[in-house]
Amino acid sequence: GPLFMLDQFTQRRYTSMLFELRAEHRNLDAAIELFIRNRPDDQLGITRLKKRKLKLKDQISILENLLIPDLNA
């Protein structure tokens, strides 16, 4: 788990960031589906969207790890 405790202000800010990132991740899912349906040949565009989604997933994981202490620690 984290070696430091987050103060409440930081915790609230991270939590709202987490909600925003999760929402964006969900929206991106729908956007990718739509994109593939409309422009199946645009591999570059599809790859770019999928990379963006992976980056979001990484950011979400980092925030989750900060906010939710590892119970196994």
Side-chain angles (χ1 to χ4, degrees):
L3 301 172
F4 57 93
M5 295 303 299
L6 295 176
D7 63 279
Q8 291 221 293
F9 174 74
T10 307
Q11 204 166 347
R12 273 200 298 271
R13 222 178 63 216
Y14 283 0
T15 302
S16 69
M17 279 168 63
L18 186 57
F19 278 114
E20 278 172 31
L21 289 173
R22 280 180 178 158
E24 195 180 338
H25 192 263
R26 271 196 310 274
N27 293 341
L28 208 47
D29 255 345
I32 289 171
E33 256 179 60
L34 204 63
F35 193 95
I36 291 173
R37 204 176 310 143
N38 294 331
R39 299 166 66 181
D41 298 330
D42 187 353
Q43 281 306 314
L44 193 67
I46 294 167
T47 302
R48 195 176 292 140
L49 283 172
K50 288 187 172 174
K51 274 198 183 128
R52 171 99 189 99
K53 195 178 142 188
L54 279 175
K55 194 175 281 182
L56 276 173
K57 187 129 190 70
D58 285 344
Q59 292 175 319
I60 288 168
S61 298
I62 290 169
L63 280 174
E64 282 175 345
N65 288 335
L66 283 172
L67 288 166
I68 305 154
D70 182 9
L71 298 175
N72 303 320

